[in-house]
Amino acid sequence: MRTQLTPPDVKVIARSLRPIVTAGLPVSPDFSDETLLGLRGVVARSIQPDHRLSRVKALDDLLARLLVNYPDDALGEAARVLFGIAPGSRGLTITRRRERAAELIDREAEHFRKRIEPGVVAEVAWQLHRDSQNYIPRGRAVPPPLESSGDTPMIRQGDVANAEAAEHEELLSRVWAHVYALRAEILRVERLKTWPYDPTEPETSRRVLAQAYEARDYEVDAVRRLIQAYVDRYGQRITHGDAEFNAEALLRLAGWNDETMR
């Protein structure tokens, strides 16, 4: 199966999503649309990228994750009902799912179908498009060729075969260490905003949340510095396990959004 060099237009992705919306998730084992199965984000998550069913599973998992994190809180649950992953919506016909989704936002089912559903599908298509921009397709040359891909703390002989390889692995490990640290600090901030450290002591909770913000912002700066150091020396492609990422997309992968998180 092919892997797309660049993700297709959002409208093309949205058209390919229509059969999935109609049938509801999970994605059928018979699904074979290469517009979606060829997305770099789907290929990168596939355990066996050359096997169609492995890509189907990866697409199903990715769609579920995107819908759980749907960016519009007002429409999030309606979107999950529409795609059939919300409790009580699994196995329902598309007509019943539309009716339930419409009820959630106090709209008529026909209005939902004509006016709101296309926007929901387009948003999911855009999220798929954005996700695929995080990955770089295989086959591009990148110095230096290395034995290890950074997916394990094991140190292999190839990692320290020469100074260049050792320096690359060291920087690669530091990048990913701070990407995961940033993800942890983002999660900590969001947790403390929802569940205060000590609800009975507002001042203590505010202080702990302020410390969490400070730790989060430190990791944002650290990831930015390390990304720039990596790109300056090795270029855009960065590995993690069997996946390949655009180095400058790592902040977004960690969950950071410059527009909404300051």
Side-chain angles (χ1 to χ4, degrees):
M1 298 187 72
R2 69 186 182 92
T3 301
Q4 295 150 5
L5 294 178
T6 58
D9 186 80
V10 174
K11 291 181 180 178
V12 175
I13 297 175
R15 281 199 299 271
S16 292
L17 281 171
R18 294 307 319 179
I20 294 176
V21 175
T22 300
L25 291 174
V27 179
S28 168
D30 297 330
F31 190 79
S32 59
D33 186 325
E34 291 199 10
T35 296
L36 298 181
L37 297 182
L39 290 170
R40 298 201 310 250
V42 171
V43 176
R45 290 177 173 85
S46 303
I47 295 174
Q48 296 177 288
D50 293 334
H51 292 189
R52 182 182 59 81
L53 286 177
S54 183
R55 294 198 191 190
V56 168
K57 180 185 182 301
L59 173 62
D60 185 67
D61 291 344
L62 177 56
L63 283 171
R65 183 173 67 82
L66 293 176
L67 286 160
V68 167
N69 297 286
Y70 191 82
D72 185 337
D73 289 342
L75 286 176
E77 189 63 14
R80 290 184 281 275
V81 168
L82 176 66
F83 276 82
I85 69 165
S89 67
R90 298 180 181 93
L92 296 180
T93 65
I94 181 61
T95 300
R96 288 292 296 125
R97 281 183 274 124
R98 282 172 176 152
E99 289 171 351
R100 289 199 178 188
E103 289 171 4
L104 286 171
I105 57 172
D106 197 24
R107 296 290 189 276
E108 296 293 331
E110 190 64 7
H111 175 82
F112 180 88
R113 183 182 71 82
K114 290 183 176 179
R115 303 294 182 186
I116 298 174
E117 181 178 321
V120 169
V121 175
E123 178 60 43
V124 174
W126 168 232
Q127 295 302 321
L128 285 169
H129 189 284
R130 288 186 63 203
D131 177 79
S132 280
Q133 293 178 49
N134 293 333
Y135 300 88
I136 292 179
R138 296 301 179 89
R140 296 187 183 180
V142 57
L146 297 170
E147 177 182 326
S148 176
S149 58
D151 58 325
T152 167
M154 259 174 40
I155 298 175
R156 305 179 185 182
Q157 183 176 359
D159 299 340
V160 291
N162 54 65
E164 184 182 21
E167 289 172 3
H168 178 271
E169 275 301 307
E170 180 181 343
L171 182 54
L172 185 67
S173 296
R174 292 191 190 282
V175 169
W176 282 110
H178 280 278
V179 167
Y180 278 99
L182 172 58
R183 183 175 186 272
E185 296 301 344
I186 290 172
L187 290 168
R188 181 187 180 202
V189 166
E190 297 306 311
R191 172 174 58 83
L192 291 172
K193 283 160 58 176
T194 305
W195 298 285
Y197 174 75
D198 186 348
T200 65
E201 295 287 343
E203 195 57 43
T204 301
S205 292
R206 280 193 289 269
R207 184 169 64 252
V208 172
L209 180 56
Q211 292 168 349
Y213 273 115
E214 184 177 348
R216 184 202 66 179
D217 292 345
Y218 170 84
E219 292 299 339
V220 171
D221 291 338
V223 172
R224 284 197 170 115
R225 288 195 304 271
L226 286 165
I227 287 172
Q228 191 58 56
Y230 190 95
V231 169
D232 289 346
R233 186 160 183 183
Y234 300 112
Q236 287 287 340
R237 193 180 79 170
I238 186 168
T239 57
H240 188 39
D242 289 330
E244 294 169 350
F245 301 84
N246 182 321
E248 293 183 348
L250 296 189
L251 276 170
R252 191 163 67 243
L253 281 172
W256 178 255
N257 185 323
D258 277 314
E259 296 178 0
T260 63
M261 290 189 168
R262 280 301 181 189

